[in-house]
Amino acid sequence: MKRQAYQPILITDASRSQDDQLTSRQRRYALMMGIRVLCVIAGAILVGAKAPLLWLWLPLCGVGMVLIPWLAVLLANDRPPKEEHRLANRFHPRQRDDTPPMSLTAEERPHKIIDAEP
């Protein structure tokens, strides 16, 4: 008897857990907000010290102070994409395989022996 090959689901194919995703997003948010704080401190030091090329460094710090919080919030609220969009089946219907994963073909199934005696 030859059985159909069984394809196990590997743990490496599984998506990350919700807790792991949340922890990763929280760390990224904290890192980006830390960079923002550094931009604020650097801007204050540059203004206080009247650094050369202040006209160049101050706008760069200002852009960091404005864009980084916005990007941090966007990335913190971002989740990985779903495997399949909810409307995908309307436009491209899936081909369904009605055979169970471990089913036997007709030739492989055990046959009943019918006695001819009454």
Side-chain angles (χ1 to χ4, degrees), residues 13 22 45 66 87 94:
D13 294 340
L22 179 63
I45 290 173
V66 172
L87 298 177
R94 273 191 276 174

Side-chain angles (χ1 to χ4, degrees), residues 2-4 98-105 108-109:
K2 184 178 178 183
R3 298 191 83 176
Q4 196 174 27
D98 293 333
T99 58
M102 296 286 291
S103 67
L104 299 175
T105 62
E108 295 172 339
R109 290 188 188 122

Side-chain angles (χ1 to χ4, degrees), residues 25-37 68:
R25 292 195 317 258
Q26 287 173 339
R27 285 183 183 158
R28 188 175 1 170
Y29 180 81
L31 176 70
M32 291 180 82
M33 294 311 281
I35 293 171
R36 179 192 183 211
V37 168
I68 289 178

Side-chain angles (χ1 to χ4, degrees), residues 1-2 104-115:
M1 274 183 164
K2 184 178 178 183
L104 299 175
T105 62
E107 295 82 29
E108 295 172 339
R109 290 188 188 122
H111 298 287
K112 291 183 181 178
I113 299 174
I114 301 175
D115 290 332

